[in-house]
Amino acid sequence: MDLINKKIEHYRNVLSMFSDNNDRYKFLIDLARKAKPFPEEFRLENFKVKGCMSQVWLVPKLDDGKLNYLCDSDAMIVKGTVTLVSDIYSGNTAQEILNNDKNLMEELDLGNILSMNRRNGAYNMLN
């Protein structure tokens, strides 16, 4: 199993332990609180995710052929969501990311966890 699928499986297992969406929200907020600090110099318009109600920044960085993502949001649940997505795809080549055909919205049941507006934002993050 490749790194992306291992991380998807990990998050699927963690999220499935919670009995309701409030507990899943708390998990996402906890991820947001534990996220690495976001460098202020990347708080630029060209790194903002379009179509999100909240402000979301997603910055790809190439290190030794692997992409690693820096991310932030001004809303905690959204920040937790973008942190989760960034963690899943970080540490992989662009081709490995493109080759992965998993739909995170379905795999992690994000469509049922997130509100309609957050769901739309998550789709835009993934794109």
Side-chain angles (χ1 to χ4, degrees):
M1 186 181 292
D2 65 26
L3 182 59
I4 293 172
N5 287 318
K6 283 181 185 176
K7 289 180 181 180
I8 291 170
E9 184 68 23
H10 165 75
Y11 284 115
R12 184 182 318 128
N13 289 337
V14 169
L15 288 168
S16 72
M17 290 188 313
F18 302 115
S19 59
D20 64 28
N21 284 344
N22 285 333
D23 290 334
R24 292 178 188 101
Y25 283 141
K26 288 176 188 172
F27 171 75
L28 291 173
I29 291 168
D30 193 45
L31 276 180
R33 286 188 179 124
K34 293 177 181 176
K36 295 177 186 174
F38 187 77
E40 288 300 315
E41 66 265 21
F42 292 119
R43 242 175 252 289
L44 303 170
E45 195 63 32
N46 58 318
F47 292 124
K48 275 181 128 178
V49 177
K50 306 287 187 255
C52 291
M53 297 286 292
S54 308
Q55 293 188 87
V56 179
W57 294 270
L58 188 57
V59 181
K61 297 201 57 143
L62 191 61
D63 299 314
D64 295 324
K66 306 274 183 175
L67 283 166
N68 290 293
Y69 293 91
L70 304 173
C71 61
D72 199 14
S73 177
D74 61 354
M76 292 301 279
I77 292 172
V78 176
K79 182 175 180 171
T81 304
V82 73
T83 298
L84 182 148
V85 169
S86 295
D87 181 51
I88 287 172
Y89 291 118
S90 286
N92 294 280
T93 66
Q95 195 60 53
E96 289 167 333
I97 294 169
L98 289 171
N99 288 346
N100 187 279
D101 61 354
K102 298 285 172 125
N103 179 332
L104 288 188
M105 296 298 286
E106 290 177 12
E107 293 290 328
L108 302 178
D109 203 22
L110 293 176
N112 289 324
I113 297 170
L114 301 174
S115 68
M116 178 68 91
N117 287 336
R118 289 186 185 118
R119 206 173 323 150
N120 290 337
Y123 279 121
N124 290 325
M125 288 175 215
L126 291 168
N127 286 331

